[in-house]
Amino acid sequence: MTEHDFSDELPGIITDSELNELQDFLDSDTVPEGSMILDTLDGFLTALVIGPVSVPIKRWMPLVWDMLDGHKTPAFESLDQAKRMTKLILKMKESITFLFSGSPDLYCPLCMEIELESDEMYNNLVKLWATGFVMGIYCNENNWKPLLDRKEVFEELLMPIFLLSPFSNDTPPLPTKTANVIRELIPEYVKEIRKFWLPQRQREQAKEKGVVIADEAEQTGRNEPCPCGSGKKFKKCCGR
């Protein structure tokens, strides 16, 4: 696919059957060896959704197919199949966006929504999620620097996720009990990271909608109109 095949249109909420369809495709021989699988993609898209700024699709989509450098692409059977898989990935991203805009307290990685036989199986899938999340940061590293450079915040919210990923090669494997604790806290880490970037996201959304913000978004009162321009009170919109 060329860059002209990417669209900023967000095509709705993904269904369970569509998730299964996407998972089957990502697990198939059609995709390059270094492509993401569904749990990695889940972490990757989550980082893009809650991060400091919107990232253009043509910058992040190639990494879905080739995590190393984004150069390889699947051997699609047809243009229709390429468009279909791209649409499903966008629907998955939109579903995460919708959840955070309406019910952020309900967020958890996909792998934590299913029943597995052991902590080891859960932790292996969470490591894949963490790999994707860290890749979502590296995809937009310059804009993440205000968080990465704040040592206390980084150590509290991001370091545990980094420790689960393969990007912390210089540290020994985590004990199972430690991995279990981090796994259970991931939804809280994600929600707090989102809160860290929320004021910046509000300003970006307001700018896109032509809304003039006279003061910093974080000073918006909870009962005041949300600066993103939705028409809702701040506490019912971006301040959730």
Side-chain angles (χ1 to χ4, degrees):
M1 298 181 70
T2 69
E3 65 180 46
H4 303 292
D5 295 315
F6 297 122
S7 170
D8 287 321
E9 179 184 0
L10 295 172
I13 306 303
I14 196 165
T15 65
D16 287 343
S17 61
E18 288 173 331
L19 273 176
N20 290 334
E21 179 184 353
L22 179 57
Q23 183 174 26
D24 288 343
F25 180 78
L26 294 174
D27 290 341
S28 72
D29 294 334
T30 303
V31 299
E33 185 175 348
S35 68
M36 296 184 185
I37 63 173
L38 193 67
D39 291 296
T40 311
L41 178 62
D42 183 33
F44 183 65
L45 296 179
T46 299
L48 294 179
V49 168
I50 69 169
V53 296
S54 299
V55 182
I57 294 172
K58 61 184 178 182
R59 187 195 303 176
W60 61 260
M61 184 67 79
L63 295 174
V64 174
W65 309 128
D66 180 8
M67 291 188 286
L68 182 61
D69 53 27
H71 290 164
K72 299 178 182 178
T73 57
F76 292 112
E77 296 176 356
S78 64
L79 180 59
D80 286 342
Q81 185 187 49
K83 290 181 177 180
R84 173 65 176 170
M85 292 305 121
T86 300
K87 180 178 180 180
L88 291 183
I89 292 170
L90 293 178
K91 290 187 76 171
M92 185 174 173
K93 182 172 181 286
E94 174 65 358
S95 299
I96 297 171
T97 302
F98 182 80
L99 178 64
F100 278 114
S101 66
S103 305
D105 289 339
L106 298 180
Y107 173 79
C108 71
L110 284 177
C111 60
M112 295 176 64
E113 296 179 351
I114 59 178
E115 292 188 13
L116 296 174
E117 296 179 356
S118 67
D119 284 334
E120 183 180 4
M121 294 176 68
Y122 275 117
N123 290 340
N124 286 339
L125 292 179
V126 168
K127 288 176 183 177
L128 294 172
W129 178 94
T131 299
F133 192 90
V134 175
M135 285 202 63
I137 295 174
Y138 285 152
C139 177
N140 192 27
E141 186 174 1
N142 286 340
N143 286 306
W144 277 80
K145 282 186 68 63
L147 194 158
L148 297 171
D149 291 343
R150 289 184 59 174
K151 184 178 179 180
E152 291 184 1
V153 180
F154 173 81
E155 290 181 351
E156 179 183 358
L157 301 179
L158 277 181
M159 180 61 78
I161 297 176
F162 271 84
L163 289 176
L164 288 177
S165 77
F167 298 99
S168 58
N169 293 326
D170 55 345
T171 58
L174 291 176
T176 299
K177 289 185 178 180
T178 303
N180 291 349
V181 171
I182 293 176
R183 183 190 77 212
E184 294 302 320
L185 288 174
I186 278 179
E188 295 304 317
Y189 294 142
V190 169
K191 284 182 282 188
E192 291 302 315
I193 293 169
R194 175 181 177 267
K195 286 181 182 179
F196 182 91
W197 294 120
L198 189 57
Q200 186 166 326
R201 278 286 193 172
Q202 291 168 353
R203 290 191 290 270
E204 181 189 43
Q205 293 169 1
K207 184 177 180 180
E208 289 174 353
K209 295 179 180 181
V211 177
V212 177
I213 301 178
D215 207 346
E216 292 296 318
E218 56 263 42
Q219 296 178 3
T220 302
R222 288 183 55 76
N223 289 311
E224 296 177 11
C226 187
C228 76
S230 66
K232 299 179 182 179
K233 289 184 178 180
F234 177 66
K235 66 182 180 182
K236 295 290 186 179
C237 191
C238 294
R240 290 177 67 92

